[in-house]
Amino acid sequence: MKAIVVTDQAAGTAGMTLMERPEPQAAINDVVVQVHASGFVPTELAWPSTWTDRLDRDRTPSIPGHELAGVVTALGYGTTGFSVGQRVFGLTDWTRDGTLAEYAAIEARNLAPLPGDVDFTVGASLPISGLTAWQGLFEHGRLQAGQSVLVHGAAGAVGSMVTQLAREAGAYVIGTGRSADRQTALDFGAQEFVDLENDALEHVGGVDLVFDVIGGDIGRRSAGLIRAGGTLVSIVGPPEVRPADGLAVDFVVESDRAQLGEIVQRVRDGRLRTNIGNVATLDDAVAAFNPTERIKGKTVIRVRP
């Protein structure tokens, strides 16, 4: 099968190569999926799990990408809950070969059914962004109606999901980003926007929850905005500064079938819009991940026409 492969951590996305790899076999409780569309997060190439397995053994050449939408082609021994020919989407294990390939083997528990009225490209854009937003807001941030949320990077793939889910939950949402992102953030539901290039972040005042996808100086300054009892939620590592009277949480997103179902249902009924910036073929994936200009939104690779 054709797949994108990485062997050199220092090379980053420029070191990606399209080549032939053996098709994966289904282990116990696995499903083999014919990949129709794949998502990719550029920071994957900095994750240790891209390069070594759980025992810290080199696992290159490895296939990156952990989001997929496709069709089940084979079931491993003991696998239940799915059938050959079924449309599925989900989030694969970090330490296994990923989804930038024509086929991927994935544990059945990491998949959810993909309704027939949801396009494969949309399905592949949901797992990481949608689950990250859901878990950060509701599991770790314990968001309640009437609270205020500061969403950094509100026009991005994750931030736009956070903004929409927080609004739906009854929160007041303040988005941040570059000046060029203002209208996009407002279109996704932010009620205010802070231009991080020109506005003073501190003018926001106190908020109940900060969802940080940026870190660094912005993350440090955000801790001072948390009201008593509030939470700073980070997906870029442990916060360097903790709120004086609140919680600081950093987490790694996990696959969850029930949450995937909640997210895709919201897409079906129009409550949630995906933020896809570019769709490319597998043949053009390397170029798509090394763009010459800034791409807004998520890049999705359409593996099959």
Side-chain angles (χ1 to χ4, degrees), residues 102-138:
E102 293 180 305
Y103 294 88
I106 176 174
E107 287 184 69
R109 65 189 178 94
N110 291 333
L111 288 171
L114 181 68
D117 56 356
V118 178
D119 184 79
F120 287 116
T121 302
V122 172
S125 74
L126 293 174
I128 286 181
S129 298
L131 290 172
T132 298
W134 187 281
Q135 291 166 18
L137 286 172
F138 305 125

Side-chain angles (χ1 to χ4, degrees), residues 187-273:
D187 289 345
F188 275 112
Q191 287 140 297
E192 291 181 37
F193 183 81
V194 177
D195 174 357
L196 294 177
E197 296 171 319
N198 299 297
D199 299 338
L201 180 61
E202 288 69 23
H203 288 173
V204 166
V207 296
D208 298 296
L209 193 154
V210 172
F211 202 116
D212 184 21
V213 303
I214 299 174
D217 180 60
I218 295 298
R220 288 189 292 271
R221 291 159 61 194
S222 296
L225 304 176
I226 301 291
R227 291 187 182 128
T231 309
L232 171 60
V233 175
S234 168
I235 63 168
V236 288
E240 297 177 37
V241 178
R242 307 179 75 83
D245 294 306
L247 295 175
V249 178
D250 70 289
F251 75 102
V252 176
V253 64
E254 297 179 345
S255 191
D256 186 294
R257 184 179 297 173
Q259 292 173 8
L260 286 170
E262 292 277 1
I263 291 162
V264 79
Q265 182 56 45
R266 283 163 171 74
V267 172
R268 296 178 76 192
D269 61 27
R271 287 178 286 164
L272 190 63
R273 289 188 294 125

Side-chain angles (χ1 to χ4, degrees), residues 23-27 29-34 71-77 79 82-86 88 103-106 108 111:
E23 288 188 18
Q25 301 300 306
N29 295 325
D30 268 359
V31 172
V32 174
V33 177
Q34 182 184 59
V71 174
V72 175
T73 58
L75 303 174
Y77 180 80
T79 300
F82 293 101
S83 57
V84 172
Q86 186 173 0
V88 293
Y103 294 88
I106 176 174
L111 288 171

Side-chain angles (χ1 to χ4, degrees), residues 137-138 143 145-147 149 151 160-174 185-192 271:
L137 286 172
F138 305 125
L143 181 68
Q147 292 185 326
V149 182
V151 183
S160 59
M161 290 275 184
V162 175
T163 298
Q164 293 174 89
L165 289 173
R167 276 296 301 272
E168 186 200 11
Y172 184 84
V173 179
I174 306 163
L186 296 175
D187 289 345
F188 275 112
Q191 287 140 297
E192 291 181 37
R271 287 178 286 164

